[in-house]
Amino acid sequence: MSASVPPLTLLAGMNCTADLWADAGFDTEGGGVIRPTLDRPSLRAQVEALLADLPAQSVIVGHSLGGIVGMALALAAPHRVAGLCLVSTNAKAPTGAQRAGWTEWIRRLDDGDDARSLQQSILEPLLGERLAAERPDLVERALSMGDDTGDDLLRTQLELQLTRVDLLSRLSSLRMPTLVVSGLDDVICPPRFHTEIVAEIDGARLVSLDAGHLLPLERPREFGDLVRSWCAQRVRPAAVA
């Protein structure tokens, strides 16, 4: 028998793409990197599709909606998750205001708005007021992720959001190594959402960085180094014949 490093499965959030992780240095990982797209209209269907396509074990790294899918996958098939990294996310059931907002975005798509313009409408919550004003490079990357996601896929992701349920009350059953990363300036998924998650998962580690909601885009080096260090310390290599 020999040991191999489980691959990283990177799940980007709604209206985001693999560019979210582009500068974190994950392409040098020995175990490989998988970048699925969230493309199913319900949480259950998304988890089932990932379980059908992913290898026997991987380290799930999920941002925002990707973190929600990651938690649901870990609950459904914990033996498939060598480690769980949750970034800028929320384990609670959606509020009425969130549901109304997603429904409104679907209506706006139907009325001719596109994924880029909808991303534009929440730039300050995504990046923070200062970065939205001072970092045109990050603004363009955030908007380009909307372009690359496209209207049809964004609509599907909004439908997925509408099927979310409470996961927080079930997280205490998880036993895999877990890293939770929050942005101190994140107004979409504020730090308290992450302390709630850590309180439920035995042995989970919480790290907060000076960043907003698009933390891996804003702080790629710190985030990449953090994930690599945590994997080296906590994630066990998978045994292979």
Side-chain angles (χ1 to χ4, degrees):
M1 302 286 287
S2 61
S4 63
V5 179
L8 298 179
T9 294
L10 306 177
L11 301 176
M14 187 179 76
N15 216 15
C16 294
T17 69
D19 190 47
L20 182 74
W21 322 101
D23 298 329
F26 292 141
D27 285 323
T28 63
E29 299 302 306
V33 180
I34 305 165
R35 299 177 181 83
T37 298
L38 302 182
D39 60 359
R40 303 303 166 100
S42 74
L43 187 58
R44 175 176 291 185
Q46 187 64 73
V47 168
E48 291 175 351
L50 288 170
L51 289 174
D53 292 340
L54 291 177
Q57 274 204 325
S58 66
V59 176
I60 304 293
V61 182
H63 168 264
S64 196
L65 179 58
I68 293 160
V69 172
M71 285 183 275
L73 189 153
L75 288 165
H79 60 287
R80 300 284 298 275
V81 182
L84 183 62
C85 176
L86 304 171
V87 189
S88 307
T89 195
N90 178 11
K92 295 179 288 192
T95 65
Q98 285 176 306
R99 293 182 181 277
W102 299 325
T103 301
E104 172 65 10
W105 270 32
I106 292 173
R107 185 196 65 76
R108 289 176 63 180
L109 287 170
D110 291 341
D111 287 348
D113 275 354
D114 58 25
R116 182 186 179 97
S117 65
L118 291 172
Q119 194 88 312
Q120 175 82 51
S121 72
I122 59 167
L123 267 181
E124 286 194 5
L126 287 174
L127 291 170
E129 183 178 359
R130 182 181 61 82
L131 288 184
E134 298 177 3
R135 290 289 304 273
D137 58 323
L138 292 185
V139 168
E140 182 53 37
R141 286 177 69 182
L143 296 178
S144 292
M145 287 196 295
D147 286 333
D148 292 340
T149 297
D151 303 350
D152 290 342
L153 181 56
L154 176 57
R155 181 182 282 102
T156 298
Q157 292 176 348
L158 289 162
E159 292 169 353
L160 191 164
Q161 292 272 32
L162 287 165
T163 70
R164 281 170 44 191
V165 296
D166 174 67
L167 300 175
L168 188 64
S169 62
R170 300 171 55 200
L171 295 182
S172 60
S173 67
L174 298 182
R175 295 292 181 267
M176 70 282 295
T178 302
L179 173 67
V180 180
V181 188
S182 74
L184 291 171
D185 299 322
D186 189 348
V187 298
I188 295 176
C189 294
R192 70 178 183 275
F193 289 6
H194 304 81
T195 58
E196 292 168 348
I197 293 170
V198 169
E200 294 296 325
I201 304 176
D202 187 40
R205 178 187 177 194
L206 173 64
V207 176
S208 297
L209 299 179
D210 184 11
H213 190 65
L214 297 183
L215 184 152
L217 194 70
E218 184 179 341
R219 298 286 183 184
R221 292 184 180 179
E222 294 95 327
F223 177 70
D225 288 346
L226 174 63
V227 173
R228 280 185 288 274
S229 174
W230 168 74
C231 283
Q233 295 173 12
R234 296 297 311 278
V235 176
R236 295 181 179 180
V240 295

